[in-house]
Amino acid sequence: MKKIFFGLFLASILFSCNMKERADLIFINGDIYTVDSAFTKCNALAVKDGIIIATGGDDEILNTYQSKNIIDLEGKPLYPGFNDAHCHIAGLGMSLTRVDLRGATSFDEILSRLKKRQEENPSKCLLGDGWDQNLWEDKNFPSNEKLNELFPDVPVILSRIDFHAVIVNDEAIKRLGITPGDPSIIPGEALMKNGKFQGVFLENLADRFKEIVPKPDGKEMREILLAAQDECFKYGLTSLSDAGEELDMINVMDSMQGEGKLKIRLDVWLTPGERNFAKFTKPYKNGRLSISAIKLYADGALGSRGALMIEPYSDMPNTRGISVNTFQKLEEYCKWAFDHGFQVAIHCIGDGANREALRIYAKFLPEGNNLRWRIEHSQIVKPADMAMFAKYSIIPSIQPTHATSDMLWADERLGERIKYAYPYKELLNQLGWLPAGTDFPIEQVNPVYTFFAAVYRKNLDFIPEGGFQMENALSKEEALKAMTIWAAKASFEEGAKGSIEKGKFADFVVLDKDIMTASEKEVPFIKVIRTFVGGEEVYKAE
Ligand SMILES: [Zn+2]
């Protein structure tokens, strides 16, 4: 009799076990922020075939699902994978191979970093980026004499931190083939000294120096993308909106994601041009790659006075900045996008650029539309223009670390206009949501810094005390949403990712401390422990 009872007991256990649904992966004992519409939390979740199949309490999940792979989170916080809403993945990959000039406090320091690199690892074309003359004692743009002395034969091209200005040596100028007085040069884009080029070039002309850089071949593009992907996973990024790529790079991305090598989810925007427009006549989606937007530029950057202002610069009254494209050209591209069903994303820093882009958009977008055209940076917006975002459902796409990088000198450029610069909370209020990113490699990749800058409006030295123009700070919940669900929404993907809900991709990041409850002093030091894309672990801290 006892045996029979025992047999029945065993059978019932086996039966109940068999009744449990199989999952590929289960997380338990976590502090999980689902970032769903009610901002609810849970402790456990189950994943199958790369998709979240259930969320709930530990018992609830363990009683319903079985898996060979159960991860005990030991109380650690888990969030939807972070999504950078505006960045440059190939640019990041390339910058990982360039001389890093960020943080240099003098031009001499730049020269010594270049010398060191060239001695250790000689290159046929020396590239560096990240210099910022605002960090130097002499804040004027330098001239290139010392560069010419050190590097008489190798072209040297050094991009400013915002990529809107370069310092180059004479060898680079020679190879590009431009001379002073060249009619193709737009006034203001080449700085002159005693009738010669000083070596500093801005905007379009700065960009033209790319022509003399040997192009990466297919193999190098793959290396560049893999290096950038690793860097992103290290910081918990599982999705990116990539702000403008050429066809060759897009083709490499597409084949790599098809092979399962490029695992990060990419929303890639087209750089306008015949080849891109000929290939993509409608939005494209294949696996983890989607292409549904075009990227345009209305103006340059504030640091190099390329941002297009309505009134002249406060510290250089003879200039209002630079229109990178004529308004007519922008409108032509917008028409192409509208006719072919693409989103448009226009880079606008100055109040003049923002005004013009808003007006162009208004010609195409009916009120109450759901086309999700976006303005990248939306950095200086005249209060009178602000309501256009809401009226035409235009998405302001922001980079909170730009505010804290620029705040130490932006008022020199803007004077009183600083009051309506970096107005993130006001921009958020237009549609009730907005996406946030970094614009890396211009800023650091780490999304925790985006969160910190958005919430506390301080730089990593905790300056200024009390925060910069705190009326435009975001709440913690808003900042987290801007890096997850709202970033997904800005690329029409909120149905598939951006929150931890049944049916969505199993993209997660686990942090060592809860970003939502950590103190201000703790937040910038919070680290990623593990990153998952589609249920696959792609990063684990050592
Ligand atoms: Zn950008």
Side-chain angles (χ1 to χ4, degrees):
M1 196 64 183
K2 256 185 184 171
K3 268 185 187 162
I4 293 171
F5 266 129
F6 185 70
L8 278 173
F9 177 67
L10 205 66
S12 76
I13 284 185
L14 283 170
F15 184 68
S16 76
C17 223
N18 282 336
M19 287 293 286
K20 283 191 191 176
E21 209 180 305
R22 228 175 264 280
D24 297 331
L25 174 64
I26 291 174
F27 291 90
I28 55 162
N29 192 21
D31 187 15
I32 299 175
Y33 287 85
T34 67
V35 195
D36 63 4
S37 58
F39 210 70
T40 53
K41 291 176 75 178
C42 64
N43 304 109
L45 63 87
V47 174
K48 194 170 168 60
D49 299 327
I51 303 288
I52 301 162
I53 50 172
T55 61
D58 287 338
D59 291 344
E60 210 179 330
I61 295 296
L62 288 174
N63 290 338
T64 322
Y65 298 94
Q66 55 168 321
S67 176
K68 286 186 190 129
N69 194 3
I70 297 180
I71 295 177
D72 181 351
L73 289 165
E74 296 170 340
K76 294 278 189 249
L78 180 147
Y79 315 80
F82 295 143
N83 183 344
D84 193 312
H86 177 132
C87 59
H88 303 268
I89 185 173
L92 172 65
M94 284 187 257
S95 79
L96 293 170
T97 64
R98 289 182 198 161
V99 185
D100 185 0
L101 305 175
R102 281 173 301 180
T105 53
S106 67
F107 192 55
D108 283 337
E109 188 180 339
I110 285 175
L111 295 171
S112 72
R113 290 191 197 180
L114 294 170
K115 232 170 90 183
K116 187 162 170 272
R117 165 62 72 88
Q118 199 60 353
E119 280 161 13
E120 287 168 2
N121 190 3
S123 166
K124 280 187 231 146
C125 180
L126 191 53
L127 305 174
D129 54 53
W131 60 270
D132 181 357
Q133 84 283 8
N134 290 308
L135 303 177
W136 308 345
E137 203 176 322
D138 177 3
K139 293 184 174 36
N140 291 310
F141 283 123
S143 51
N144 68 359
E145 287 101 10
K146 285 183 183 168
L147 269 186
N148 294 331
E149 274 168 38
L150 272 176
F151 306 102
D153 312 314
V154 175
V156 182
I157 306 167
L158 310 176
S159 299
R160 196 179 176 279
I161 182 113
D162 58 14
F163 289 92
H164 289 267
V166 292
I167 304 172
V168 303
N169 65 351
D170 284 350
E171 181 61 22
I173 296 171
K174 197 174 103 193
R175 293 204 191 181
L176 188 61
I178 51 168
T179 49
D182 198 323
S184 73
I185 294 175
I186 298 172
E189 291 196 342
L191 301 197
M192 306 298 292
K193 192 177 174 187
N194 307 325
K196 279 186 62 197
F197 288 133
Q198 180 179 326
V200 174
F201 299 92
L202 309 177
E203 306 306 339
N204 291 303
L205 194 48
D207 242 24
R208 281 189 53 198
F209 280 90
K210 285 182 191 155
E211 293 168 22
I212 65 162
V213 179
K215 284 241 180 308
D217 58 24
K219 184 172 159 279
E220 286 163 333
M221 283 188 205
R222 284 171 169 259
E223 287 163 4
I224 283 166
L225 290 170
L226 288 177
Q229 170 172 261
D230 280 351
E231 190 76 358
C232 290
F233 288 158
K234 200 163 89 185
Y235 292 108
L237 288 163
T238 57
S239 285
L240 308 176
S241 281
D242 184 357
E245 295 291 355
E246 303 285 354
L247 186 57
D248 294 338
M249 187 60 83
I250 295 172
N251 285 339
V252 172
M253 289 170 168
D254 202 7
S255 55
M256 285 178 75
Q257 73 86 25
E259 294 157 18
K261 291 192 177 119
L262 203 59
K263 297 174 180 186
I264 197 157
R265 297 186 203 281
L266 291 175
D267 156 47
V268 179
W269 309 343
L270 299 176
T271 295
E274 271 175 36
R275 289 179 71 216
N276 273 346
F277 286 176
K279 163 104 192 230
F280 298 101
T281 52
K282 58 179 198 275
Y284 174 81
K285 179 137 189 73
N286 186 23
R288 294 183 183 184
L289 175 71
S290 65
I291 294 165
S292 56
I294 65 166
K295 167 70 185 299
L296 307 173
Y297 284 86
D299 65 347
L302 189 62
S304 43
R305 298 186 192 82
L308 185 65
M309 301 299 298
I310 295 168
E311 304 291 335
Y313 278 86
S314 300
D315 58 355
M316 202 177 269
N318 62 352
T319 180
R320 295 196 302 117
I322 293 169
S323 289
V324 172
N325 278 296
T326 62
F327 299 140
Q328 191 195 338
K329 193 82 203 156
L330 290 175
E331 202 171 319
E332 278 170 31
Y333 288 139
C334 286
K335 181 162 187 342
W336 183 91
F338 189 80
D339 291 344
H340 292 81
F342 280 83
Q343 279 176 283
V344 183
I346 307 187
H347 163 114
C348 297
I349 301 285
D351 54 9
N354 277 286
R355 172 170 287 180
E356 215 47 53
L358 288 164
R359 283 183 181 169
I360 292 171
Y361 279 4
K363 291 184 185 179
F364 294 93
L365 302 176
E367 284 182 40
N369 77 84
N370 190 30
L371 296 173
R372 305 193 194 176
W373 286 17
R374 15 192 315 168
I375 291 195
E376 299 309 305
H377 315 306
S378 314
Q379 204 158 288
I380 306 152
V381 181
K382 272 262 192 213
D385 297 331
M386 192 57 94
M388 299 270 283
F389 285 96
K391 188 171 178 192
Y392 297 100
S393 307
I394 296 164
I395 303 169
S397 162
I398 61 161
Q399 294 71 37
T401 45
H402 282 358
T404 52
S405 293
D406 298 0
M407 66 189 175
L408 300 177
W409 49 263
D411 60 331
E412 290 167 25
R413 303 278 189 276
L414 299 174
E416 296 230 313
R417 291 167 290 187
I418 190 76
K419 285 199 206 88
Y420 52 85
Y422 315 96
Y424 302 147
K425 182 72 172 194
E426 230 181 299
L427 287 165
L428 170 74
N429 290 340
Q430 298 308 306
L431 302 179
W433 64 279
L434 51 65
T438 58
D439 208 358
F440 70 61
I442 289 173
E443 299 284 351
Q444 296 191 56
V445 175
N446 192 347
V448 167
Y449 296 161
T450 299
F451 181 91
F452 179 73
V455 172
Y456 298 105
R457 310 262 295 184
K458 292 183 180 186
N459 66 20
L460 296 174
D461 297 323
F462 297 95
I463 290 172
E465 210 180 314
F468 165 71
Q469 302 187 163
M470 285 305 283
E471 64 279 14
N472 273 304
L474 305 188
S475 71
K476 288 181 171 182
E477 187 176 321
E478 289 161 351
L480 182 59
K481 286 179 171 172
M483 294 154 55
T484 54
I485 187 69
W486 292 342
K489 187 172 179 178
S491 58
F492 284 103
E493 295 169 294
E494 74 275 22
K497 64 187 190 185
S499 63
I500 296 174
E501 293 177 89
K502 193 178 167 182
K504 288 196 174 183
F505 293 131
D507 299 351
F508 316 119
V509 53
V510 183
L511 300 181
D512 67 349
K513 213 169 241 154
D514 182 7
I515 205 165
M516 300 297 289
T517 55
S519 72
E520 178 189 321
K521 294 277 176 214
E522 291 172 323
V523 169
F525 304 101
I526 291 176
K527 296 261 175 315
V528 172
I529 303 178
R530 312 173 87 152
T531 307
F532 295 82
V533 181
E536 179 190 354
E537 187 163 67
V538 290
Y539 171 76
K540 187 173 187 187
E542 282 156 19

